[in-house]
Structure formats: C-alpha cells, structure tokens
Amino acid sequence: MEFIDYYKVLEVEKSAGEIDIKKAYRRLARKLHPDLNPDDESAKKKFQEINEAHEVLSDSEKRMQYDKYGKDWKRAEQFEKNGEQNYRGSQGFGKSDYSDFFEAIFNRVRKGGNTKSRGRDYSAVLKLELQEVFYTHQQTLLLNGKKIRLTIPAGVKNKQKVKITGQGGEGVNGGANGDLLITFSIANHTNFKRKGSNLYADANLDLYTAVLGGEVIVETFTGRIKHEVNAGTQNDSKTTLKGKGFPVYKKENQYGDLIITWKIKIPASLSEKEKALFGELKKLSKH
C-alpha cells in the first residue's frame, strides 16, 4: 500500500498546529474543488487527498496514530493488541510485509479521501417575459455542458425561487449532489400591471358612452372581448372582470381578475353644432 504523507499533502510542517492545518486545508480546498476544475482529474484526486489528510491531522487521536504507524494508522489498535514488537518485525516480517499480512487477514482496502462531501449548490437567474409565464411551458437550460429540462408552471412570480434537487455540483466520495436554485426574473412590457394573480389596466371611454352606456371592446391579456358599460360611468371608476386575470400558480384552470380603470375622454374639439347641443344640455341640467 502506497504511503501518503498527509503533511506534504496539506503543505505544512509536522509541527503545524490545529489552526495552521485548518487554514491550509481551506486554502487548498478552494483551489482544488472539483466544481472549479471539472475537467481536471488530477485536481479531483488531490482534492480527495486533502480531505483525507485534513480528516486525520485535524483529529488529535488519529494524528497521533498516524505519526506512530504511518500508513497503517487505521490498524493501530490491532497492532497494539499484538504488541508493538510485532509491528517492528520481531516475528519475521518486515514493516511492509507485516502491513500486507494484516491487510490480507482483515480484507481491508484503504480508500483515498473517504470523507463524504456534499456537492456545491448552484444559483441561476432565468429571465422570462410576462407573456411566457401565462402558460405552463418547458425550457431547456445548459449548465456546465449538461442539459436540464425544466417545466415552468403558469403563474410563476417575479423573483420567485425554485429548487431542483440534485442538479448542482457533484458530491465527493458518495456525498449527495448539490441543488440548483433558480430565481425567475420576469419582465413586463405589456399594458397590464400584475399584483398576485390579478391584472390591472386603464381603458379609455368616450364621453358619450360614459354618459349613455353601451357596448365597448376591452383588451384582456389573451385578446379583446365585448363589455357592456353602465350609463353614467364616472372617470377613474373601476370594473372587475372575473377570471380574466393571471393564472393562479399551480392551481389548474384558476385565474385572478382583471380590474379596469375607466379613463373618460373629453372631446378636444367640438363643431359649432356640438357646442350648441352641449349648451342646451347645460341649460336643461339647471332645471
């Protein structure tokens, strides 16, 4: 079995204290992490080695056994039961032969870097238009050369976050993969304002229809519809169109409302006849 010098792996002296070992490990872990070196197999191997070295040297008992028995520190208890003189070869074994002998008996294979480490979480921002999140649809993301197919439910909100389990960085030594955290950035270039599942919009209304009432065409998010306006509709008054708003997130076939604010358009230029008629109306209103 090949001997690995843990002190050399962490680039510290044998006299290094606990703080020095911890600092060295953090520095090397940042430098050699597989997520930062995805195509470098040597970096991955070195990362496993520094994890193993840190596991041993940061534990006072394990470090003492390592300093005493070297590569066979994991079998220190067995060696000590059989007498330290056996380990030194008093029964006819050299140091290397004795190690191989015990390895055969106990069928132990030393695993490099056996500390499990969870993969790193990834974060991403997905930019969408408001029209895109009115319907459930799929998007394909490319992350580190890997395609991830994502279903986006209708009604997703701006700055909403979703977590895709296991799609982050790869775990080390059997550790779980990290997660992918996606934040939705939804741009709105429409004439509608969105609050929750409700939509808000202004609609122009001519003076005559506002006074007399009648049928008008109203713009909704999905197209135009006919709507009956009541006589005497006031400026800035509101009309609620039930179910004509935005989809409710993860509630199939449920929608918010569309709230229309009426903006009465006053005629800017009147003919002489129109002015005369308005004059007559003014006189009538005084009676």
Side-chain angles (χ1 to χ4, degrees), residues 68 99 114 128-129 131 135 168 181 195 197 206 212 277:
K68 186 173 182 179
S99 299
N114 57 3
L128 299 169
E129 290 288 334
Q131 296 94 321
Y135 303 98
L181 306 174
K195 291 183 181 179
S197 297
D206 66 83
L212 302 173
L277 289 172

Side-chain angles (χ1 to χ4, degrees), residues 184-200:
F184 293 100
S185 176
I186 301 173
N188 183 4
H189 296 103
T190 73
N191 293 323
F192 299 90
K193 292 182 180 179
R194 180 188 181 192
K195 291 183 181 179
S197 297
N198 290 335
L199 292 175
Y200 296 79

Side-chain angles (χ1 to χ4, degrees), residues 26 53 104 161 214:
R26 288 176 177 172
K161 299 178 186 294

Side-chain angles (χ1 to χ4, degrees), residues 65-172:
Q65 293 172 342
Y66 172 77
D67 288 343
K68 186 173 182 179
Y69 294 108
K71 69 177 182 178
D72 298 306
W73 68 270
K74 290 185 178 181
R75 293 187 287 275
E77 184 178 350
Q78 183 64 40
F79 292 155
E80 289 170 358
K81 283 183 180 179
N82 285 274
E84 193 175 38
Q85 69 276 12
N86 290 342
Y87 180 79
R88 291 178 177 168
S90 63
Q91 293 186 354
F93 291 97
K95 183 173 181 179
S96 177
D97 294 334
Y98 191 82
S99 299
D100 294 339
F101 171 72
F102 268 97
E103 193 167 328
I105 291 177
F106 296 106
N107 193 28
R108 292 183 179 178
V109 178
R110 181 174 177 271
K111 298 179 181 179
N114 57 3
T115 300
K116 287 185 178 181
S117 179
R118 183 180 179 278
R120 179 183 175 188
D121 287 340
Y122 290 150
S123 296
V125 175
L126 182 56
K127 296 182 177 181
L128 299 169
E129 290 288 334
L130 189 63
Q131 296 94 321
E132 292 181 276
V133 294
F134 191 87
Y135 303 98
T136 296
H137 69 286
Q138 291 188 324
Q139 293 258 352
T140 300
L141 309 180
L142 188 62
L143 184 65
N144 289 340
K146 181 180 178 182
K147 289 184 178 180
I148 300 173
R149 197 164 181 80
L150 173 66
T151 297
I152 302 173
V156 166
K157 298 176 182 178
N158 187 43
K159 296 184 180 180
Q160 183 173 337
K161 299 178 186 294
V162 296
K163 179 173 72 174
I164 305 178
T165 304
Q167 294 294 344
E170 183 179 351
V172 177

Side-chain angles (χ1 to χ4, degrees), residues 201-205 217-219 260-264:
D202 294 340
N204 292 327
L205 189 63
I217 301 298
V218 176
E219 292 281 355
I260 298 292
T261 299
W262 298 110
K263 299 295 182 180
I264 311 297

Side-chain angles (χ1 to χ4, degrees), residues 19-84:
I19 294 178
D20 294 327
I21 289 172
K22 187 172 294 186
K23 285 182 179 178
Y25 169 72
R26 288 176 177 172
R27 175 176 57 82
L28 292 170
R30 285 194 295 268
K31 177 182 177 182
L32 299 170
H33 198 285
D35 290 345
L36 301 178
N37 305 273
D39 301 319
D40 190 341
E41 288 299 321
S42 64
K44 185 175 181 180
K45 182 179 178 182
K46 290 177 181 177
F47 184 73
Q48 292 174 340
E49 288 180 352
I50 65 170
N51 271 308
E52 181 183 358
H54 178 257
E55 179 193 8
V56 175
L57 299 185
S58 63
D59 185 305
S60 58
E61 185 175 347
K62 289 180 181 179
R63 182 176 180 180
M64 181 177 65
Q65 293 172 342
Y66 172 77
D67 288 343
K68 186 173 182 179
Y69 294 108
K71 69 177 182 178
D72 298 306
W73 68 270
K74 290 185 178 181
R75 293 187 287 275
E77 184 178 350
Q78 183 64 40
F79 292 155
E80 289 170 358
K81 283 183 180 179
N82 285 274
E84 193 175 38

